[in-house]
Amino acid sequence: MYSTGNSMEIVRAIRSFHVQHPAVLFLAFSSPAVSTPALLDFEMKETKDGRTGKISKSPSTDSHQLVLDIDDFKGDFSFDALFGKLVNEVLPSYLDEETDISEGLGVNDTMPAGHVRTQSDAGKASQGISSPLFPEVDALLSLFKDSSVQLIDLRKQIDKKLNNLKNEVATQDSKHRKTLSELEKGVDGLFDSFARLDSRISSVGQTAAKIGDHLQSADAQRETASQTIDLIKYLMEFNSSPGDLMELSPLFSDDSRVAEAASIAQKLRSFAEEDIGRQGMAVSSVVMGNATASRGLEVAVGNLQEYCNELENRLLTKFDTASQRKELSTMAECAKILSQFNRGTSAMQHYVGLRPMFDLEVMNADAQMVLGDPGSQPSPSNVASGLSSLYKEITDTVRKEAATITAVFPSPNDVMSILIQRVLEDRVPKLLERLLVNPSLAHPPPMEEGGFILFLRMLAVAYEKTLDLARDLSAIGCGDLDVEGLTESLFLPYKDVFIEYEQASLKQLYRAKMEELRAENQQASESSGTIGRSKGASIASSQQQISVSVVTEFVRWNEEAISRCTLFSSQPATLAAKVRAVFTCLLDQVCQYITDGLERARDGLAEAAALRERFLLGTSVSRRVAAAAVSAAEAAAAAGESSFRAFMVAVQRCGSSVAIIQQYFANSISRLLLPVDGAHAASCEEMSTAMSRAETTAYKGLQQCIETVMAEVERLLSAEQKTTDYRSPDDGFIPDHRPTNACTRVVAYLSRVLEAAFTSLEGLNKQAFLTELGNRFHKGLVNHWQKFTFNPSGGLRLKRDITEYGDFVRSFNAPTLDEKFELLGIMANVFIVAPESLSSLFEGTPSIRKDAQRFIQLRDDYKSAKLASKLSSLWPS
């Protein structure tokens, strides 16, 4: 027998299997009465209404019978609900036992199958099996079998219905396909019908369009024929007799139909003229009838011409009257009719010609507004202001006329073109003729009257302001008129020759500036008076120095000329050629100016040299003459020092001037020359050639400066150096370590005078000058010392002088000079050491033995110590 716990296990197993396999239910019971498991197979279908199987009891049996129906599986079918009802009927204690068991879970031991074994169950199991463990199994088995049979029957019913439905669907599908095929054939037929209908409609439309075209053409032909008939009738009227216009149709005399009459007259005139032209080209063998017709049309042409002229004059008179009364509508009506005569050109020109802005009085007032009162000297600023005011007035007038023209004429752009063309060809040129008068290159106007520069400045101002006027007029509207081209043509005669005036102006400015500087120098010289010939020369030299401000003024002139070249030259190649010509003028001016300045400074040096030569003394002169000569020599030395400083300042300013030109070329000129191949290189070559002249002059002047300095050094050495300086009678006593007075004077002089050289010269120029001067100074000292004899104390004094000279020369930063003076210090030792030590004195420097021999001969003991024979044996030649 199965216990209640086992039955619960079976129920839970059935539920678990149903969850995994909801369509198939397997029930297996294991009991002594049943040796094999019973298999129950049935399918469950979920429905929408949720109803479950019904349980009923058969009256003939006690077993429960489950009656199933197809409707039970419709809606929301639940197998759990069905199975619950089945268990509740067969096993009424199922729910209670399940509840008790579920409450006992977790209190007692848990079985491997998930059940809880109680003590009572264990006791019953120990007592043995005395009754069936699951007596309801038969009823359940019977019920499940019956349910399985019913389910199989239901499945067969459903399968049958499904087969029937499949057959019906296949039949309906076949019918549907047949119907669709028939419909496709019908649709294809409809498409064909629509295509034929569309083609028919298109054909009918084309036919209708052709009919309409024919009707329109027929109407046009009818209208043309009607007009032709009228034109022939009017032509016959004009062909009646020459000059007879009295028998014309009322159309040609009716003022209300003037537009129509003008149109017809123009058509008749055009036709008659064309016919005459064709007849004129015909061969001479024309028939008499055609010749008569030709003569008749000539009469008609003459009458038509006379009528058109009369009509045009009437309309112009009416137009003028309406214009004076400001009746724009009447003016517009007349202009519209007049547009049929030569496209209205006569009316347009007539209107423009009568504008007050072109009256002679107005144009005379233009010149007075710009140039000022007669006899006054106009200035570019005043002319610029006057042109601005005048051109603004013209622009405002044209703008007002544009409003009237737009309201009156049917082609306002053509009228505006004529108006603006009249402004630029009549009013502006008359003003420019009085404003810009080309000066004569052969007889230039004096600078007091402005010179060439005034003309060029006026030309530039007029050109700029006129271009502004052209742009303003273009903005108002001028039709197809090339305003800029017309404006350029006004200045074309000036632009072709202006570069010649630029070059002439630069030369004139340069001459005027030089005259101004000479006058200033002359005035300064006269105001200072004559103080002395040498001093006066120095003053004159200082007053004629090169001025960087003058060179800057040259550059400013050139910049102004370059700006005008840029203004008047639109093509890069043309601009480059003109710029190069103007820049060449600057090079010539600067080169001439600085070269003249350097030459003037050289003249000061030459005059100082002449003063020195004048006061050279012989050996036998009186004391009075000697004193006067010394005083004059000192004055000459002062003039030389002043001239030296003046030349150094000139060299410095010359370098600054060249730097200004180079900077100006790099910043302003070079970029304008680049568009032309070779122009930049050629200008650089010209600049180098021009500056080489100044460099040559500067080099000669620097040589004169060296001569001036060395002359004064030699004078100081000759005047200040005493014989006892190097051959002291106190030899053997405490030596004097001070430099000699001559050395002190020379170093002081060099320090003072060369300060200008250190300040003025730069770079390689400075180095070359100081090196040359140092070599000359070294040579002069050696020659000077050859005049003296030296004892040991004098040798020490000489060594002190050499040290003093060397310290000063070291400021030249010339290593070769430093080496030479160091060797002089070494050679001075020949006067200090004993005769027997001379052989070892130059063992490390054999290269100076020859010079050392010359110094040794200056020893005061040279003869007494017989040094000549000793040296010849030690240093054989």
Side-chain angles (χ1 to χ4, degrees):
M1 297 289 292
Y2 287 101
S3 64
T4 305
N6 292 336
S7 66
M8 296 305 299
E9 291 178 3
I10 292 172
V11 171
R12 275 189 288 270
I14 292 172
R15 287 184 174 179
S16 175
F17 185 83
H18 172 62
V19 171
Q20 300 178 11
H21 308 282
V24 182
L25 179 64
F26 295 90
L27 295 177
F29 298 95
S30 178
S31 64
V34 181
S35 60
T36 60
L39 177 63
L40 178 63
D41 181 20
F42 60 92
E43 296 179 358
M44 307 298 292
K45 302 288 184 178
E46 292 187 0
T47 60
K48 295 181 180 180
D49 53 6
R51 290 176 295 176
T52 59
K54 300 176 183 178
I55 301 174
S56 61
K57 294 182 180 181
S58 178
S60 59
T61 63
D62 295 334
S63 63
H64 298 80
Q65 184 178 6
L66 178 64
V67 180
L68 299 176
D69 191 81
I70 293 177
D71 295 337
D72 295 336
F73 296 94
K74 295 180 179 179
D76 298 330
F77 172 74
S78 173
F79 177 78
D80 290 338
L82 176 63
F83 187 77
K85 291 183 179 180
L86 174 62
V87 173
N88 289 338
E89 293 292 337
V90 180
L91 299 175
S93 60
Y94 163 69
L95 293 175
D96 295 337
E97 291 176 356
E98 186 178 16
T99 302
D100 295 337
I101 293 172
S102 62
E103 291 176 353
L105 291 175
V107 178
N108 299 313
D109 296 335
T110 304
M111 298 299 290
H115 302 292
V116 179
R117 172 175 288 183
T118 61
Q119 294 179 359
S120 60
D121 293 336
K124 291 178 182 180
S126 63
Q127 291 176 4
I129 302 173
S130 58
S131 61
L133 296 177
F134 192 16
E136 294 84 356
V137 67
D138 294 333
L140 288 173
L141 184 59
S142 175
L143 179 61
F144 290 161
K145 288 180 178 180
D146 184 59
S147 298
S148 175
V149 172
Q150 293 185 43
L151 289 173
I152 291 172
D153 292 340
L154 290 175
R155 184 177 63 182
K156 291 179 178 179
Q157 295 177 14
I158 292 173
D159 290 343
K160 185 177 180 181
K161 290 182 178 181
L162 287 175
N163 290 331
N164 294 335
L165 289 174
K166 289 179 180 179
N167 294 331
E168 292 178 359
V169 168
T171 302
Q172 294 296 328
D173 182 65
S174 177
K175 293 179 179 180
H176 179 67
R177 290 179 181 274
K178 183 178 180 181
T179 303
L180 286 177
S181 177
E182 294 175 354
L183 288 175
E184 288 178 355
K185 294 179 180 179
V187 169
D188 292 339
L190 288 175
F191 284 157
D192 294 339
S193 299
F194 280 123
R196 290 192 298 271
L197 180 60
D198 182 65
S199 176
R200 181 62 178 168
I201 292 174
S202 176
S203 176
V204 171
Q206 292 177 359
T207 303
K210 292 179 180 179
I211 294 172
D213 292 339
H214 286 306
L215 292 175
Q216 186 176 2
S217 177
D219 183 68
Q221 292 175 2
R222 183 191 63 79
E223 183 67 22
T224 302
S226 176
Q227 292 179 0
T228 304
I229 293 171
D230 294 337
L231 289 175
I232 292 173
K233 182 183 68 171
Y234 297 143
L235 184 60
M236 292 175 64
E237 293 178 359
F238 281 100
N239 197 32
S240 59
S241 60
D244 186 9
L245 302 179
M246 302 301 295
E247 301 297 331
L248 297 177
S249 298
L251 168 66
F252 299 102
S253 58
D254 188 356
D255 290 340
S256 62
R257 302 177 66 187
V258 173
E260 183 181 356
S263 177
I264 291 174
Q266 287 296 320
K267 290 180 181 179
L268 293 175
R269 181 181 174 186
S270 176
F271 173 76
E273 289 176 350
E274 289 179 1
D275 183 74
I276 292 175
R278 287 193 299 270
Q279 292 297 328
M281 295 175 62
V283 293
S284 59
S285 58
V286 293
V287 295
M288 186 60 66
N290 286 343
T292 304
S294 177
R295 286 195 297 271
L297 290 181
E298 289 177 356
V299 173
V301 168
N303 291 335
L304 285 168
Q305 182 65 45
E306 183 179 354
Y307 173 77
C308 289
N309 292 338
E310 179 185 354
L311 179 60
E312 187 174 3
N313 290 332
R314 269 197 295 145
L315 289 171
L316 288 175
T317 303
K318 184 178 181 182
F319 181 86
D320 291 341
T321 303
S323 176
Q324 294 175 1
R325 298 175 180 177
K326 305 297 182 182
E327 297 175 356
L328 298 182
S329 59
T330 304
M331 293 172 63
E333 181 182 355
C334 294
K336 184 177 180 181
I337 299 172
L338 286 169
S339 64
Q340 301 181 31
F341 299 96
N342 297 325
R343 297 181 180 180
T345 303
S346 59
M348 298 176 188
Q349 294 177 347
H350 183 76
Y351 174 80
V352 172
L354 293 179
R355 295 303 91 202
M357 65 185 301
F358 299 113
D359 291 345
L360 184 60
E361 295 79 6
V362 175
M363 288 190 282
N364 290 333
D366 292 346
Q368 185 176 0
M369 178 186 296
V370 175
L371 297 174
D373 296 333
S376 62
Q377 181 69 37
S379 64
S381 59
N382 293 337
V383 170
S385 177
L387 284 175
S388 297
S389 301
L390 174 61
Y391 286 166
K392 183 178 183 303
E393 178 183 333
I394 292 175
T395 303
D396 294 340
T397 302
V398 171
R399 186 176 288 108
K400 293 177 182 178
E401 293 291 345
T404 302
I405 290 171
T406 303
V408 170
F409 289 92
S411 300
N413 288 336
D414 295 338
V415 185
M416 290 299 299
S417 177
I418 295 173
L419 176 64
I420 294 176
Q421 185 176 3
R422 180 72 181 275
V423 170
L424 296 177
E425 289 183 350
D426 188 11
R427 188 167 181 180
V428 173
K430 282 185 172 57
L431 173 63
L432 295 179
E433 287 176 1
R434 302 184 62 178
L435 177 63
L436 303 174
V437 179
N438 287 349
S440 173
L441 291 173
H443 301 88
M447 290 299 297
E448 293 76 11
E449 297 178 5
F452 290 118
I453 188 63
L454 177 62
F455 167 74
L456 291 170
R457 288 172 177 171
M458 301 277 271
L459 176 61
V461 167
Y463 183 72
E464 288 180 332
K465 296 301 180 182
T466 306
L467 284 181
D468 293 340
L469 172 65
R471 284 189 284 267
D472 293 339
L473 295 178
S474 297
I476 296 174
C478 57
D480 297 331
L481 181 65
D482 184 9
V483 177
E484 293 187 1
L486 186 57
T487 305
E488 291 290 340
S489 66
L490 296 177
F491 291 89
L492 191 58
Y494 303 103
K495 293 168 68 174
D496 290 340
V497 298
F498 93 94
I499 192 64
E500 299 177 7
Y501 286 102
E502 289 288 359
Q503 293 172 317
S505 173
L506 291 173
K507 294 177 182 178
Q508 187 183 41
L509 290 171
Y510 179 78
R511 288 193 298 268
K513 188 64 178 179
M514 294 301 102
E515 292 175 1
E516 177 186 348
L517 293 176
R518 281 194 292 269
E520 291 177 356
N521 291 334
Q522 183 68 25
Q523 184 178 0
S525 178
E526 292 175 355
S527 63
S528 61
T530 303
I531 302 175
R533 187 169 184 180
S534 62
K535 192 171 183 181
S538 177
I539 292 174
S541 177
S542 64
Q543 288 178 347
Q544 295 178 11
Q545 278 290 347
I546 297 173
S547 174
V548 177
S549 62
V550 173
V551 176
T552 303
E553 189 171 0
F554 295 163
V555 174
R556 188 171 64 251
W557 297 341
N558 205 261
E559 285 179 336
E560 182 180 344
I562 293 296
S563 67
R564 284 190 290 269
C565 291
T566 306
L567 178 64
F568 293 133
S569 304
S570 57
Q571 298 299 324
T574 305
L575 175 61
K578 293 178 180 179
V579 167
R580 183 180 173 186
V582 171
F583 182 68
T584 301
C585 291
L586 175 64
L587 293 178
D588 294 340
Q589 290 174 353
V590 174
C591 176
Q592 184 67 37
Y593 176 69
I594 62 178
T595 301
D596 291 346
L598 291 173
E599 289 290 352
R600 288 193 300 271
R602 285 188 62 204
D603 292 342
L605 292 170
E607 188 172 352
L611 289 174
R612 289 194 306 270
E613 295 291 336
R614 186 180 304 173
F615 296 106
L616 289 178
L617 295 178
T619 56
S620 59
V621 294
S622 64
R623 183 176 299 178
R624 181 178 178 182
V625 173
V630 169
S631 177
E634 290 179 353
E641 184 175 345
S642 175
S643 300
F644 179 91
R645 290 196 178 94
F647 188 84
M648 287 299 169
V649 172
V651 170
Q652 181 186 25
R653 294 178 180 179
C654 177
S656 300
S657 300
V658 172
I660 290 173
I661 299 303
Q662 292 173 341
Q663 187 69 27
Y664 170 64
F665 178 80
N667 294 340
S668 303
I669 303 299
S670 60
R671 60 183 177 83
L672 301 176
L673 299 177
L674 290 177
V676 178
D677 294 337
H680 186 275
S683 292
C684 291
E685 184 66 24
E686 290 176 359
M687 184 163 52
S688 177
T689 302
M691 297 308 161
S692 64
R693 292 172 50 196
E695 290 177 358
T696 302
T697 305
Y699 175 77
K700 294 178 180 178
L702 290 175
Q703 291 293 330
Q704 289 179 270
C705 287
I706 293 175
E707 296 292 342
T708 300
V709 172
M710 289 308 303
E712 180 62 16
V713 168
E714 291 174 358
R715 189 190 72 82
L716 290 174
L717 289 174
S718 177
E720 300 295 333
Q721 196 80 67
K722 306 301 180 183
T723 305
T724 57
D725 288 343
Y726 300 126
R727 192 177 181 185
S728 173
D730 299 331
D731 191 21
F733 293 93
I734 299 175
D736 189 356
H737 294 289
R738 296 174 301 171
T740 63
N741 186 46
C743 175
T744 303
R745 291 285 302 275
V746 168
V747 171
Y749 168 75
L750 291 176
S751 299
R752 183 176 67 254
V753 74
L754 291 184
E755 181 180 357
F758 283 114
T759 304
S760 302
L761 300 179
E762 296 179 351
L764 296 177
N765 294 332
K766 178 180 179 180
Q767 190 65 38
F769 173 78
L770 294 177
T771 300
E772 178 67 18
L773 178 62
N775 288 328
R776 292 284 304 276
F777 182 50
H778 175 271
K779 183 178 180 180
L781 289 175
V782 172
N783 293 334
H784 169 70
W785 289 328
Q786 293 295 322
K787 302 174 185 178
F788 298 91
T789 57
F790 299 85
N791 59 15
S793 62
L796 291 174
R797 199 85 184 271
L798 174 64
K799 194 174 182 66
R800 181 67 182 86
D801 286 353
I802 292 174
T803 301
E804 191 73 14
Y805 292 137
D807 290 342
F808 173 74
V809 170
R810 196 170 290 111
S811 63
F812 291 4
N813 291 323
T816 57
L817 293 178
D818 296 341
E819 183 179 355
K820 285 186 175 183
F821 278 88
E822 288 176 2
L823 292 178
L824 281 179
I826 294 173
M827 286 191 296
N829 291 329
V830 300
F831 304 121
I832 301 173
V833 300
E836 57 272 13
S837 301
L838 290 174
S839 60
S840 61
L841 187 61
F842 301 104
E843 290 179 355
T845 55
S847 60
I848 63 172
R849 288 177 181 177
K850 185 175 182 180
D851 294 333
Q853 289 180 5
R854 295 173 56 196
F855 267 59
I856 292 173
Q857 293 175 6
L858 302 178
R859 287 174 60 109
D860 60 349
D861 59 350
Y862 180 75
K863 294 181 179 179
S864 62
K866 300 179 180 180
L867 294 179
S869 59
K870 293 181 181 180
L871 291 177
S872 61
S873 63
L874 291 175
W875 299 335
S877 57

